Amino acid sequence: MTNKPKNEPTVAYSELAIRNNLSIVEYCRTSVAAVSGCTAGVLGLTGLYGALFFFFAVTSFWLMLLCKAGIDSWRKFFISRKSLLINGIFGHFFTYILCWTFIYGMVHVY
């Protein structure tokens, strides 16, 4: 038994299209993590401010992605908004830290 109303149509997703969309989002997330890490390093952010900058960058990317897909029509391209926000966030955090510390060291230490 489902809790779905009788008059609501069943939605079918193309698995190939969903996988393609998610792989593109994964590539963009990795790029955003690297670029925001470099930005934090150049700005000289340290400690908690640097970590908060990562979450600001991730949330900004998520909002831009939802706006690009359409505020009301994002369901055509993705299954869940929550998974777009938190999928692989810690893996990208390590990419962010790598770029952040490398660029910080190159600009502010040496």
Side-chain angles (χ1 to χ4, degrees), residues 10-11 13 19 22 30 34 48 50 54-55 65 81 88 102 108:
T10 303
V11 177
Y13 291 103
R19 282 187 190 194
L22 291 178
T30 303
L48 189 58
F54 170 73
F55 291 109
L65 184 66
R81 283 187 298 189
F102 178 72
H108 297 284

Side-chain angles (χ1 to χ4, degrees), residues 2-37:
T2 62
N3 296 336
K4 189 187 255 188
K6 297 279 184 191
N7 58 359
E8 188 173 320
T10 303
V11 177
Y13 291 103
S14 169
E15 182 180 352
L16 184 62
I18 295 292
R19 282 187 190 194
N20 184 45
N21 291 343
L22 291 178
S23 70
I24 291 171
V25 168
E26 187 73 17
Y27 177 77
C28 290
R29 261 196 223 126
T30 303
S31 300
V32 165
V35 169
S36 61

